[in-house]
Amino acid sequence: MTRNPYLPNPARIEDVVVENEARDIKTFRLAFTEPNAAEFRYLPGQFAELSLPGLGEAPFGIASSPAEEGFLLFSVKRVGLFTTELHSLEPGAAIGVRGPMGKPFPWERMAGKNLVIVGGGFAFTTLRAAIKHILHPDHRGGYGSVLVVYGARTPGELMYRNELAEWQKRDDIQVHLTVDKAENGWNQHVGVVPAVLEQLKPSPQDTLAIICGPPIMLKFTLAALSKLGFPDDTVILSLEMRMKCGIGKCGRCNIGAKYVCKDGPVFTRQELQELPAEY
Ligand SMILES: Cc1cc2nc3c(=O)[nH]c(=O)nc-3n(C[C@H](O)[C@H](O)[C@H](O)COP(=O)(O)OP(=O)(O)OC[C@H]3O[C@@H](n4cnc5c(N)ncnc54)[C@H](O)[C@@H]3O)c2cc1C
Ligand code: FES
């Protein structure tokens, strides 16, 4: 029998990690508490609705990769009612997980290509999932070069700092970190992500660019990629619209005839240009 898509899978919080100095981003490690969770099969780029009793649900990108078996990661910024309650929870607390939802990054199209991965602020979550997936020993040979540019306001606002440091030691991925405001001891880039991208000048040849970030960063990163010669169908973005059902039924998230929850949240720049500019 098909499972009711409105029913969340029961899960438990196993671990909580504070990601940034402002302490308003936390990563939650969740484990399902019922066997039907094996049906929760996802790829990086997808999201899920997390639910708390009495508060409802909210969508979050899945920050873990499927190769990290037995748990899911979600990195959540505290902004309002739902996320404040979630931030107050400790390991052992119950939570619901509905999904996976939306389209993942276009993994079949990405096979064999060079990848430019560009992230800003706390939207780096699904990019973390993508990088873990690409770097898995069973997958890394399936892609060309991998260039990551990730920026935040200050060094203390970069998420996943231990992993970033590990990735920077590897020779099969180039990770460039940048901050708007340097602090003592910072010896990496200073400046906005699009400016760093323009300095690094990745070639558009056989390359796909994947971008997640706040609207202002998306706007200037798209301009930088155009200058570098990336055609619109090689630029892939993930959008964060307001959502409710997450499965294309309620009409809360539409842009023209497309539902961001079902037809996205991952789109090419070319697909977005064919839609009304409502995002
Ligand atoms: C596909 C998708 C993936 C997402 N992934 C993540 C993630 O990985 N980590 C994360 O922290 N957040 C993510 N979000 C945003 C997250 O869903 C909202 O922050 C959350 O719903 C806010 O709930 P709240 O009750 O705490 O805040 P509310 O009280 O609902 O809102 C507080 C403030 O946040 C703003 N806000 C709320 N929802 C959104 C939204 N969707 N986009 C932009 N601004 C919003 C409101 O305008 C308001 O200013 C994602 C959203 C979508 C649609
Ligand atoms: S959130 Fe309901 S249609 Fe997209």
Side-chain angles (χ1 to χ4, degrees), residues 25 47-48 57-63 74-84 122-123 125-126 238-243 260 265:
I25 305 173
F47 69 98
E57 337 181 270
F60 298 96
I62 305 172
F74 293 90
S75 299
V76 175
K77 183 167 168 111
R78 191 180 65 235
V79 292
L81 201 64
F82 185 93
T83 49
T84 300
F122 73 98
T125 57
T126 52
S238 187
L239 295 187
E240 280 194 12
M241 297 287 286
R242 290 295 210 132
M243 289 184 187
V260 175

Side-chain angles (χ1 to χ4, degrees), residues 3 29 31-32 40 44 52 80 87 97 106 113 132 138 142 146 150 169 192 200-201 205 215 222 230 233:
R3 194 176 153 78
R29 194 176 77 211
F32 290 115
F40 192 102
L52 295 173
H87 268 237
V97 183
K113 299 277 190 222
K132 289 294 279 188
D138 292 348
V146 181
Y150 171 35
K169 288 186 204 140
V192 292
L200 295 170
K201 291 190 179 43
Q205 188 77 35
L222 289 174
F230 279 75
D233 70 334

Side-chain angles (χ1 to χ4, degrees), residues 225-246:
L225 288 168
S226 289
K227 261 198 215 165
L228 293 166
F230 279 75
D232 289 349
D233 70 334
T234 65
V235 177
I236 295 149
L237 298 87
S238 187
L239 295 187
E240 280 194 12
M241 297 287 286
R242 290 295 210 132
M243 289 184 187
K244 200 170 164 87
C245 71

